[in-house]
Amino acid sequence: MKPDPSHSPLRRLQRAMEAHVYRKTLRDLVNRLRHGARAPLSDMAIYPRPRDVTHALVAPKGGQRLRRQHSGLVLGGAWDRNRIAVENDIKLASCRMRWVEGADWAETPIYRRQLEEIAQGRAPDDCRSREDMDRRFAMLDRVFAETKARGRMLDMEELPEFHYRRAHGATLIHVGRDGACLRGGGGAHRFAIAHILDLPEMPAQLGVVHPDAIRDGHLERLGRSSLRRDPAGAAQASPSA
C-alpha cells in the first residue's frame, strides 16, 4: 500500500505553515502569560447557539479582515462594532430556500452566483464545473439530513477527513466585548445547517476575542458544551485542545 501523501512530513509542514501554527503556538504562550487560566487557545472550539449569532464581522474600509490565521488573538478596540446582519448572507438565504421552502438548488442565488464565478475562471468552494457544484450540493443535502437526525453538529475531531488542529476548519466565530458571537469567513454552510435546524449549540472555531469578553467570563462560557461528553460520560467542561 502506498503511503498517503497527505501524511508526509513535507505535507504536514506545508499544512502547519498554511494554518500559521507556529505563530499561533507563540500566541497561545503569550495569552497564557497575560490572561492566565482564562486565556484563549488558537483554533479552540467554542459552542454558541446558532440563532444567537445574528451578525457577521466585516472589515472596516481600508482595514484588515480578521481570518482563521488570527484565531486566539486578543484584540482591544472597536473592531467588534463593524458588523452586518447574517440574514443578508446569500448562503444562508439559499439554504433556507432549499431546506425550508423546498426549492431546487438551481433556483437559489448561490447556485447562480457560483455558476457565474466558474464561467469567470474561478473555483468557488473548490468547484470548477457544474458537475462539481451538483456533487457538493448533494453532499450538503446529506449533511443536513444527517445532522437533523442526529440533533447536533459534529465536532471537527469527529470528521477525520477534515480534522487538522483543534476546531480549525469549523465555522469561524469572533467574540466581541459583550460576548456577542460574530460570524467570520468559512464554514458558511455548517452555520446555515445549524441555524436552520435551530440546534442548541454548534461547534465553532474561535476567531479574535475582545479582552472584555475574557474578563467578564463570556469566553469561558462559550468554551463549554452542553452536548459533548468525555469518554467517562461526564459533560465536557473545557474547550477541546
Side-chain angles (χ1 to χ4, degrees):
M1 180 182 295
K2 293 183 179 180
D4 186 344
S6 67
H7 294 159
S8 69
L10 180 60
R11 178 54 187 146
R12 288 198 298 269
L13 176 61
Q14 182 183 17
R15 188 74 188 274
M17 293 177 67
E18 290 171 352
H20 297 260
V21 171
Y22 304 109
R23 183 179 300 174
K24 288 176 178 177
T25 300
L26 178 59
R27 181 181 300 150
D28 289 345
L29 176 60
V30 172
N31 283 343
R32 175 65 69 167
L33 293 173
R34 289 179 176 172
H35 301 283
R38 286 187 166 185
L41 277 173
S42 58
D43 300 332
M44 69 179 273
I46 58 174
Y47 298 89
R49 178 175 177 265
R51 293 205 178 175
D52 288 343
V53 183
T54 58
H55 288 80
L57 186 70
V58 294
K61 189 173 182 180
Q64 183 182 27
R65 184 179 178 186
L66 299 175
R67 302 175 181 272
R68 293 192 190 277
Q69 69 195 58
H70 300 108
S71 178
L73 177 65
V74 180
L75 185 63
W79 59 268
D80 56 335
R81 305 292 195 196
N82 302 308
R83 56 181 75 177
I84 57 173
V86 297
E87 289 297 323
N88 300 325
D89 181 77
I90 187 173
K91 288 187 176 180
L92 178 58
S94 296
C95 288
R96 187 177 289 112
M97 287 177 63
R98 171 63 175 169
W99 295 322
V100 177
E101 301 169 13
D104 291 333
W105 279 115
E107 300 176 277
T108 64
I110 189 60
Y111 193 97
R112 294 192 295 271
R113 188 178 79 176
Q114 291 191 346
L115 273 182
E116 293 172 359
E117 290 174 344
I118 289 172
Q120 296 166 3
R122 300 165 65 184
D125 291 331
D126 293 326
C127 295
R128 292 173 172 78
S129 67
R130 186 169 192 149
E131 291 73 22
D132 287 347
M133 285 176 51
D134 289 340
R135 282 191 291 270
R136 175 169 172 75
F137 284 121
M139 179 271 293
L140 291 174
D141 283 339
R142 291 194 298 273
V143 173
F144 179 83
E146 291 167 0
T147 304
K148 183 177 181 179
R150 188 187 308 112
R152 69 178 182 91
M153 182 74 69
L154 293 178
D155 281 83
M156 295 306 294
E157 64 190 37
E158 297 177 277
L159 299 167
E161 67 272 33
F162 299 110
H163 181 239
Y164 173 60
R165 180 180 190 261
R166 298 173 183 157
H168 183 86
T171 302
L172 186 67
I173 296 290
H174 306 290
V175 182
R177 69 193 67 209
D178 56 354
C181 292
L182 307 170
R183 259 214 64 212
H189 287 113
R190 283 174 60 90
F191 171 72
I193 290 170
H195 188 278
I196 290 169
L197 291 175
D198 194 16
L199 298 180
E201 67 179 37
M202 69 173 187
Q205 177 187 355
L206 176 68
V208 172
V209 57
H210 198 283
D212 290 0
I214 301 174
R215 181 198 65 198
D216 296 337
H218 296 301
L219 180 62
E220 186 176 13
R221 168 181 55 82
L222 288 165
R224 292 192 294 265
S225 169
S226 62
L227 299 179
R228 286 199 67 196
R229 294 185 175 275
D230 64 22
Q236 185 188 46
S238 61
S240 62

